[in-house]
Amino acid sequence: MDRRRLGKTGYEVSEIGLGTWQLGESFGPVSDEAARDILRTARSLDVNFWDTADVYGGGQSERRIGGFADSKGVIVATKLGRDGDIFPDKTGYNRRNIKLSLTGSLKRLGGETLDLAQLHTIPTEVLRDGEVFSIMDDLRDEGLMRHWGASVENVEEALLALRAEGCATLQIIFNLFRQDYAEAVLPKAHAQNVGIIVRLPLASGLLTGKWNKDTTFAATDHRNFNANGEKFNVGETFSGLPFEKGIELADQLKQMIPANYPLAQFALRWLLDHPAVSTVIAGVTRPAQLRDNVEATKRDPIGPALIEELKGWYEDKVKPNIRGRI
């Protein structure tokens, strides 16, 4: 698989990465063996960028990655800032607490230094204040992590993070149902040599095109308990769209794309056609899903006429239905 430079980190990362929220069983049960199968498949496909967080399964995702024997050459990115024991009610972003959080991740993942530590959708006002950026710089210089970045919820937060010279990466919600970053953020990030990590590329699965309005999810799945933003930011589930509207829009998309082109691969190809994008992370619960994602890298780029049509469709049909800040 082709690799791309992850901004100023200098890391060469696979175009398709692996999101590991699911290894913390946030989408339903995932056995240890199933988790190992997913990680083994990632290695066999040369998927060398894995993204996790301290709160995925209360550290379970990090522990599973840390305990995986064949991880040589893999770049592991983790996140901090949403552990309620360390940052109650999303407060307390001081040096002591941040170092405590990072030290915990390092212990679970193993090794001496974290490859990449990302602020995990911390409050906008904390980003606006900016002190947290200096803290991350200091802890990087101490050797706790090699690089740091920020995972953000919206365009404003991305632009705030880009003010910090030390910010090496941005992780954003970017997909056919959330296109605003293309013009508002990507050019600036590219100019500043900040790597772009795309999360929720398939809008929590809506862009697989495999569901209908009767599809249901397990009680432990965030697509059930956070469908309307009941537990955390509504944009993290279905990219902020009401589920039934998302199904309707996905059906429209199927009519717009070339025949015999799986919607999920088309959605991933659309992302990869943005040169500023470094890697696209999609969570999978089965190895076959990861293989399908990697196939998108082999597809031809999407033509400019269709890209313009999709942009207009987004502005007219999709954007007015998105809940939460874009």
Side-chain angles (χ1 to χ4, degrees):
M1 184 178 0
D2 288 343
R3 297 188 180 186
R4 300 185 181 191
R5 182 68 58 89
L6 185 60
K8 63 186 74 171
T9 69
Y11 296 144
E12 295 291 331
V13 296
S14 51
E15 290 184 323
I16 296 294
L18 178 66
T20 64
W21 192 2
Q22 77 284 6
L23 299 191
E25 303 193 64
S26 298
F27 298 80
V30 176
S31 68
D32 288 342
E33 183 56 35
R36 285 191 292 270
D37 281 347
I38 290 169
L39 298 179
R40 280 194 292 262
T41 301
R43 294 294 285 137
S44 71
L45 295 172
D46 197 28
V47 173
N48 78 329
F49 183 81
W50 301 355
D51 178 82
T52 186
D54 56 351
V55 292
Y56 293 169
Q60 181 184 40
S61 176
E62 289 182 326
R63 284 189 292 270
R64 283 174 160 174
I65 291 171
F68 183 68
D70 183 21
S71 59
K72 184 178 180 180
V74 173
I75 296 156
V76 178
T78 193
K79 298 188 285 293
L80 72 141
R82 289 177 63 168
D83 185 333
D85 292 332
I86 301 176
F87 307 100
D89 299 318
K90 285 196 170 185
T91 62
Y93 294 98
N94 54 53
R95 191 179 191 282
R96 174 191 174 277
N97 289 346
I98 291 173
K99 186 171 184 177
L100 178 65
S101 179
L102 291 170
T103 302
S105 289
L106 190 56
K107 182 178 180 180
R108 289 185 290 271
L109 287 167
E112 298 179 355
T113 305
L114 297 168
D115 293 331
L116 174 65
Q118 305 160 95
L119 299 169
H120 194 181
T121 61
I122 67 175
T124 307
E125 57 268 24
V126 178
L127 296 174
R128 192 175 290 122
D129 174 78
E131 182 182 1
V132 70
F133 302 145
S134 297
I135 295 171
M136 295 296 282
D137 283 341
D138 289 345
L139 294 175
R140 176 203 59 203
D141 293 345
E142 284 188 14
L144 199 54
M145 67 277 202
R146 294 182 179 87
H147 304 281
W148 69 266
S151 178
V152 298
E153 300 278 19
N154 53 62
V155 166
E156 180 191 1
E157 291 177 355
L159 295 175
L160 289 171
L162 286 173
R163 298 184 310 172
E165 185 177 350
C167 182
T169 63
L170 275 178
Q171 186 173 141
I172 60 175
I173 302 172
F174 184 42
N175 56 54
L176 284 164
F177 286 162
R178 291 287 289 268
Q179 297 187 26
D180 294 76
Y181 287 95
E183 295 182 1
V185 173
L186 295 194
K188 187 173 180 65
H190 182 70
Q192 295 181 203
N193 196 23
V194 172
I196 293 293
I197 303 163
V198 174
R199 76 177 186 277
L200 297 174
L202 301 178
S204 304
L206 281 175
L207 288 169
T208 64
K210 297 178 179 179
W211 300 339
N212 59 48
K213 292 181 180 180
D214 296 323
T215 300
T216 59
F217 305 97
T220 55
D221 192 320
H222 76 101
R223 293 170 294 190
N224 182 329
F225 65 75
N226 195 60
N228 298 299
E230 295 92 337
K231 296 296 184 180
F232 44 83
N233 188 289
V234 68
E236 294 285 351
T237 304
F238 305 131
S239 293
L241 289 170
F243 178 69
E244 291 193 357
K245 175 56 69 172
I247 293 294
E248 176 186 323
L249 292 167
D251 287 342
Q252 291 178 21
L253 261 179
K254 292 176 190 176
Q255 304 306 312
M256 298 171 69
I257 69 175
N260 301 317
Y261 202 145
L263 180 56
Q265 290 184 15
F266 181 88
L268 294 172
R269 183 68 257 175
W270 180 86
L271 290 166
L272 293 171
D273 286 346
H274 292 81
V277 169
S278 301
T279 187
V280 178
I281 55 173
V284 300
T285 56
R286 300 188 308 277
Q289 293 170 319
L290 185 54
R291 295 188 186 95
D292 286 344
N293 291 345
V294 169
E295 284 298 311
T297 68
K298 303 172 185 177
R299 294 278 184 171
D300 291 333
I302 299 168
L306 181 52
I307 289 175
E308 283 301 307
E309 182 183 357
L310 291 166
K311 180 180 176 181
W313 170 79
Y314 169 74
E315 292 289 340
D316 294 341
K317 303 295 184 181
V318 182
K319 192 171 180 177
N321 293 290
I322 297 174
R323 300 165 297 178
R325 296 164 61 199
I326 298 175

